[in-house]
Amino acid sequence: MKMTNFFARTLREDPADADVDSHRLLVRAGYIRKVAAGVYSWLPLGQRVLRKVEQIVRDEMDSSGAQELTLPITQPLELWEKSGRDTTYGPLMFRLQDRKETGFCLAPTAEEVITWTVANELSSYRELPVNLYQINWKYRDELRPRFGLLRAREFLMKDAYSFHTDVEDLRRTYKVMYDAYHRVFDRCGLTFRPVEGEAGEIGGDVNHEFMAVAAVGEDDFVWCKSCTYAANVEVARRTIVRAAVDAGSGQAQPTKVHTPAMPGIAAVAEHLNMTQDVLLKSFAFDAGGEMGLALVPGDREVNEFALARAIAPKKLRVYDETDFAAHPELPKGYIGPHHSSVKIVVADPSIRADHGWVTGANEIDHHTTDMWCDRDFSVGVWADIATIASGDACPECGNALSVDRGIEVGQVFEIGTKYSTALGATYVDADGQTHPMVMGCYGIGISRTVAAIIEEHHDELGIAWPKSVAPFDIHLLALSGKGAAAETVKATADALYAELKAAGVDVLYDDREASPGVKFADADLIGIPVQLTVGAKGLGRGIVERKQRATGERDEIELADVVSTVR
RNA sequence: CGGGAAGUGGCGCAGUGGUAGCGCACCCGCUUUGGGAGCGGGGGGUCGGGAGUUCAAGUCUCCCCUUCCCGACCA
């Protein structure tokens, strides 16, 4: 492709509304343009990268036995009413009506449609398992789209759905998909970790999230430096190393101390000259109408996902200002676990420790020291509800855990029978009995992956694509100028371009009448892996210069050997 | 939805009540050509929208819309 004909314009300055590197560079280098918040046009450069990633995914899906199809983006709300997700997804769905006022939505995902489709086509155990996928646009009206392609409202997703007679069979496909995902993200050049994840709105039990390691990621995950344990912080566990000691009567008795205007952990710890981890944080919540307290050490936060699981099926609602106003007997900032109104006490196992705790005294401006678990307050539910910190002990091997940030680029779920039951996807077994199909689902954010790749592969000059996903293989720069050699340089570059194309090499040819500096800067910004420079300087010696974008490494190639060398 | 910031030419910005500007980009000419060239000329803007105040509004007031950042929420 000649740049004089190519629909692409680079920007000399960073766009004002792009903060993260991937967004900034995609716009500056001419890959995408914003049309609305979280909605983008993919210009030809971007389209090429999108197709590359898409093709890697398609390749791995096909070779894993999945079959591609295309499901509608416009979906009848009726199907969503059957699964109950029209209400649970709520305003996250873009909704519309046809002229007869029938309700539709733009697909945020496709469990309902695929399950309905399979229900109508298959009915025997002989026809299972089956694994179907599509690569199609998804729509979610996020409260806050941000970070360019990383959280868009319109995004390209590969979604696969498998149907089985039983969980054992599902597990086999799950593993096949899990392995395929490793290959996909390896081929995309990403540093990633599969971690245990929360099921979210899709439902189901077992699931893994594939996290591309990146500082701008929106998810924290923990991973063990010594073994394979890795999990989203929402579901992460740890081993408590502190030994429990029975308080008995030999330990100091609770003592009320005056802590004026110190509702915070930090201030109290400083006032009493203690470390924050010996203070007890009492976190008030409502569990289906009953007042509850969650207890974690003062240097930790409450993992609300874990707390919600611990009190299930009761519904968790964290206390807000309205609740505290309605319960004046609960002095915010001075709450202790021995409060008479509290019906449910959930504590992290680390609370059963070898020391007494400093807790709120349930009285404004007062705390109590030497509060021993089981002696001075009791716990109803033990659960891992404290957030994990770097250095905590791995639940599998006991060695140190690390907490990092990641971009969730893929997820694999075991769904079970939620949708097959709701939408009538059943099969008849060998004995003539009817059962709901057991389902799995597997997603990859294609457009998000494009952004994640840039987050990992860029420098101060621009993007540095891995070869596998680059929009072109070679960026050919002709530095013809208007000197004595101008005609020769131009003719040589033209000929080289034609030869490379004929040899099947995807070339972006900078044939513009621009100064060398402009061409070099644009080439580095756009980020094609190999730059070939044809100039009077090198041509005088019969060579073409080659630069590897990612490493900056340069070498020279004899003009006659260019095609055979770079092919 | 709470908190903060911002909407002026394609992009980045200046402009506190009185003739809409600058840099880049774009077009023409000449010069230049190995890391974002120089000079000269030129085109392009309902100043986010609507109401209002005023002799006069990009600028002041009110309402609305949009965008970005933090939070809540979420693949």
Side-chain angles (χ1 to χ4, degrees):
Chain A
M1 175 61 65
K2 291 185 176 179
M3 281 182 82
T4 46
N5 300 329
F6 196 45
F7 188 74
R9 165 184 267 179
T10 56
L11 306 178
R12 190 173 293 214
E13 290 174 275
D14 284 334
D17 60 358
D19 249 26
V20 302
D21 292 321
S22 59
H23 186 198
R24 181 174 61 81
L25 292 170
L26 281 164
V27 173
R28 250 196 84 186
Y31 286 81
I32 63 171
R33 291 289 182 256
K34 185 178 73 181
V35 175
V39 179
Y40 294 87
S41 294
W42 292 74
L43 305 187
L45 267 179
Q47 181 71 13
R48 282 174 169 261
V49 177
L50 201 58
R51 286 271 177 268
K52 287 280 179 80
V53 175
E54 198 181 311
Q55 196 49 45
I56 289 173
V57 172
R58 180 174 286 118
D59 188 44
E60 293 296 342
M61 288 299 111
D62 289 346
S63 66
S64 300
Q67 300 175 60
E68 186 171 7
L69 46 60
T70 297
L71 300 166
I73 288 170
T74 316
Q75 303 182 349
L77 271 183
E78 189 185 351
L79 286 177
W80 290 76
E81 285 158 7
K82 283 184 179 166
S83 70
R85 285 209 296 181
D86 61 321
T87 50
T88 53
Y89 252 93
L92 196 60
M93 290 202 289
F94 281 100
R95 291 158 193 268
L96 58 156
Q97 290 189 335
D98 66 11
R99 65 176 72 206
K100 291 180 291 188
E101 298 185 352
T102 304
F104 285 86
C105 68
L106 298 182
T109 175
E111 281 80 10
E112 281 78 2
V113 171
I114 191 70
T115 306
W116 180 83
T117 302
V118 168
N120 290 338
E121 302 298 326
L122 303 183
S123 45
S124 162
Y125 75 99
R126 292 166 184 264
E127 299 165 312
L128 298 176
V130 65
N131 189 5
L132 303 165
Y133 78 97
Q134 66 167 343
I135 295 173
N136 210 344
W137 294 95
K138 301 292 183 295
Y139 297 82
R140 295 186 193 174
D141 192 5
E142 297 283 352
L143 282 178
R144 188 177 160 210
R146 56 179 152 180
F147 303 151
L149 299 182
L150 288 174
R151 179 161 300 279
R153 292 195 292 177
E154 176 177 85
F155 58 99
L156 190 62
M157 180 177 178
K158 185 282 299 180
D159 43 325
Y161 308 88
S162 67
F163 296 82
H164 310 266
T165 53
D166 53 49
V167 172
E168 288 67 39
D169 193 52
L170 164 63
R171 296 252 157 96
R172 281 190 285 276
T173 297
Y174 185 93
K175 180 69 166 65
V176 168
M177 288 291 103
Y178 183 89
D179 292 342
Y181 276 33
H182 272 263
R183 294 193 297 274
V184 165
F185 297 123
D186 273 335
R187 286 176 65 179
C188 288
L190 284 174
T191 301
F192 67 95
R193 288 178 193 286
V195 309
E196 295 174 16
E198 258 278 308
E201 203 49 66
I202 295 185
D205 299 323
V206 177
N207 80 88
H208 286 89
E209 298 167 350
F210 284 75
M211 296 288 189
V213 180
V216 298
E218 296 184 87
D219 294 281
D220 287 320
F221 65 93
V222 309
W223 57 283
C224 179
K225 294 171 176 171
S226 307
C227 72
T228 57
Y229 179 74
N232 191 303
V233 288
E234 295 170 0
V235 296
R237 295 168 288 126
R238 61 172 171 158
T239 295
I240 307 297
V241 290
R242 260 190 301 222
V245 169
D246 187 359
S249 54
Q251 306 290 349
Q253 292 299 308
T255 308
K256 188 153 78 174
V257 292
H258 191 223
T259 51
M262 289 176 207
I265 295 280
V268 175
E270 195 182 335
H271 180 71
L272 298 176
N273 196 23
M274 291 172 162
T275 53
Q276 295 188 16
D277 60 346
V278 299
L279 272 67
L280 191 69
K281 185 176 288 184
S282 300
F283 183 86
F285 62 87
D286 177 282
E290 295 184 323
M291 185 186 292
L293 283 184
L295 309 181
V296 296
D299 61 340
R300 304 287 170 139
E301 299 300 325
V302 173
N303 178 344
E304 291 178 25
F305 297 93
L307 179 58
R309 285 191 297 273
I311 64 167
K314 289 191 179 113
K315 193 114 171 98
L316 171 68
R317 199 190 77 244
V318 174
Y319 265 30
D320 59 19
E321 296 305 328
T322 318
D323 293 293
F324 283 109
H327 295 280
E329 78 278 16
L330 203 63
K332 188 165 188 261
Y334 300 95
I335 304 170
H338 51 306
H339 197 288
S340 54
S341 303
V342 172
K343 297 288 184 287
I344 306 167
V345 175
V346 183
D348 188 75
S350 58
I351 299 308
R352 192 179 266 138
D354 60 348
H355 62 79
W357 294 91
V358 177
T359 77
N362 291 318
E363 183 182 337
I364 294 287
D365 291 346
H366 289 84
H367 281 75
T368 304
T369 62
D370 292 297
M371 291 284 286
W372 285 78
C373 181
D374 294 336
R375 184 190 73 179
D376 304 315
F377 62 91
S378 52
V379 169
V381 181
W382 292 98
D384 294 305
I385 57 167
T387 52
I388 309 292
S390 280
D392 281 349
C394 172
E396 304 289 339
C397 74
N399 287 308
L401 291 171
S402 180
V403 179
D404 276 306
R405 307 220 82 185
I407 299 164
E408 188 186 338
V409 287
Q411 195 159 25
V412 289
F413 291 97
E414 288 185 7
I415 294 182
T417 56
K418 175 178 171 178
Y419 298 99
S420 49
T421 302
L423 292 147
T426 58
Y427 70 93
V428 175
D429 68 14
D431 300 322
Q433 300 298 306
T434 300
H435 307 276
M437 296 179 194
V438 179
M439 289 176 61
C441 84
Y442 321 91
I444 290 179
I446 306 267
S447 48
R448 177 182 278 183
T449 295
V450 170
I453 293 168
I454 296 174
E455 291 297 334
E456 182 166 351
H457 298 277
H458 75 276
D459 57 25
E460 62 284 354
L461 296 175
I463 303 170
W465 293 110
K467 186 173 176 12
S468 58
V469 296
F472 292 91
D473 303 323
I474 300 282
H475 200 153
L476 177 64
L477 312 180
L479 307 187
S480 36
K482 282 184 181 161
E487 287 301 317
T488 317
V489 171
K490 177 96 171 60
T492 307
D494 281 352
L496 201 50
Y497 170 61
E499 278 181 65
L500 285 165
K501 254 191 3 178
V505 182
D506 233 349
V507 186
L508 181 62
Y509 174 27
D510 194 341
D511 59 334
R512 298 174 298 175
E513 286 183 24
S515 68
V518 171
K519 296 190 177 186
F520 289 136
D522 274 347
D524 288 342
L525 179 61
I526 291 169
I528 294 165
V530 176
Q531 298 169 12
L532 291 182
T533 302
V534 180
K537 230 165 69 177
L539 223 47
R541 292 184 289 121
I543 60 100
V544 168
E545 293 147 84
R546 175 168 65 173
K547 175 179 146 185
Q548 306 291 336
R549 172 63 184 92
T551 61
E553 188 185 342
R554 294 165 195 270
D555 61 356
E556 299 180 344
I557 309 174
E558 294 288 334
L559 184 54
D561 300 336
V562 170
V563 175
S564 58
T565 306
V566 303
R567 183 160 51 186

